[in-house]
Amino acid sequence: MTADDLVIVVVAGLVGTACGLLGPFLVLRRIALLSDAVSHAVLPGIVAVWLVWQTRAPLPVVVGAAAFAVLCVLGIDALRASGLVASDAAIALVFPALFSLGVLGVTRFADGIHLDLDSTIYGEIAFVPFDSVDLGGGVGVARAAVVLGVVVLLNLALITLLWKELKATTFDPAFGATVRLRPQLLSRLLLVAVAVTAVSAFEAVGAILVVTMLIVPAATAYLLTDRLVVMVALAVGVGWVGAIGGHTLAVAYDSSIAGAMGLVCAACFVVALLGSPKHGLLTRRLRRTAPA
């Protein structure tokens, strides 16, 4: 494995770590599709920051993305509260509208913003080693690794500081509301963290792999354990398996690296679905056919 290959795997692993810290809460709260909505709805935020401040620096872009993430969540909540639109329909109405607005903005201002729509959606992680920053002393580090390293620390700080609150409102929102933990605010804070993670990984891996890393490792871990802390650890682990295994598969077959990583994560889910000690389909079948 070359140095560039190592950088690619590390960046993908950092994406898997950042997403794995948040994904279990999304799966357990049954708002996995909402994370997909938020990760796409932040695109107009990137365009808006460019139009107002003429910059694509990480901090302003994250602020713009977070603003549109909140707008997306508020829009979905407003449609739900009306009682005229079902929950899934509300999501399907709001995020395509915001994403379409972002697509139009990128298309119209592509010459100035230097943002390729295909790379935003699909990503091209193979180019990550070529965009580096000097940390001093002539040491160059991939920009994506630095940004995603910061995001990992922020996500870790979020779930560490609010672990009890997130756990309580995830498993029993009614109890959380009773003891004034403000479950709706925590849910929105979680989705803002998803938006920050998504926009930080856009150029490196694209929106599709971000959504894959948010949901598939968490869904895999959900089948393997009933303990939240173990579920989070397993989700992070599956993300790294996808990063390493996907890169190896892509090199062997000269194919898309991000696509191969997503495929390996999906294969991990299938293995868990079939062979989970408690919830696996094959395990249940063997248990039913076993002699008493």
Side-chain angles (χ1 to χ4, degrees):
M1 180 179 290
T2 66
D4 287 348
D5 290 331
L6 181 61
V7 170
I8 291 170
V9 171
V10 168
V11 168
L14 288 173
V15 174
T17 302
C19 294
L21 292 170
L22 305 177
F25 295 99
L26 301 175
V27 170
L28 291 171
R29 289 166 178 256
R30 299 184 179 180
I31 55 173
L33 183 58
L34 196 54
S35 69
D36 183 23
V38 168
S39 65
H40 284 78
V42 299
L43 186 57
I46 301 174
V47 179
V49 168
W50 172 261
L51 293 178
V52 176
W53 289 291
Q54 298 291 301
T55 181
R56 286 184 58 209
L59 184 58
V61 167
V62 166
V63 172
F68 273 84
V70 172
L71 180 63
C72 177
V73 174
L74 292 178
I76 292 171
D77 284 346
L79 286 176
R80 283 172 175 169
S82 70
L84 301 174
V85 179
S87 177
D88 55 346
I91 296 173
L93 285 167
V94 173
F95 101 78
L98 290 174
F99 186 60
S100 298
L101 179 63
V103 170
L104 290 175
V106 171
T107 304
R108 173 64 179 84
F109 302 103
D111 290 338
I113 198 171
H114 302 296
L115 181 66
D116 180 67
L117 189 58
D118 287 340
S119 67
T120 300
I121 298 173
Y122 304 114
E124 187 43 80
I125 197 171
F127 295 152
V128 163
F130 304 112
D131 182 15
S132 62
V133 293
D134 190 357
L135 297 182
V139 178
V141 179
R143 185 185 304 274
V146 175
V147 173
L148 289 167
V150 172
V151 172
V152 167
L153 293 177
L154 291 175
N155 289 353
L156 182 60
L158 174 69
I159 67 168
T160 300
L161 294 175
L162 299 177
W163 178 262
K164 292 182 180 179
E165 291 82 356
L166 288 170
K167 185 176 181 180
T169 55
T170 295
F171 290 104
D172 195 343
F175 170 76
T178 301
V179 297
R180 299 182 180 180
L181 292 179
R182 306 183 70 179
Q184 191 173 40
L185 177 62
L186 288 170
S187 180
R188 290 174 180 174
L189 184 61
L190 185 63
L191 289 171
V192 168
V194 169
V196 171
T197 302
V199 76
S200 300
F202 260 175
E203 289 185 81
V205 300
I208 291 178
L209 188 58
V210 172
V211 175
T212 299
M213 288 291 194
L214 276 168
I215 305 307
V216 179
T220 304
Y222 178 76
L223 296 173
L224 298 174
T225 182
D226 294 326
R227 294 186 58 198
L228 180 57
V229 64
V230 178
M231 184 177 174
V232 172
L234 285 174
V236 172
V238 172
W240 276 94
V241 169
I244 298 171
H247 180 268
T248 303
L249 184 66
V251 171
Y253 290 96
D254 191 24
S255 60
S256 166
I257 298 176
M261 290 176 178
L263 185 62
V264 171
C265 289
C268 291
F269 173 79
V270 172
V271 170
L273 181 66
L274 295 175
S276 170
K278 186 174 182 180
H279 305 291
L281 297 178
L282 293 179
T283 305
R284 289 182 179 181
R285 185 179 181 86
L286 291 173
R287 192 180 298 129
R288 285 196 301 266
T289 57

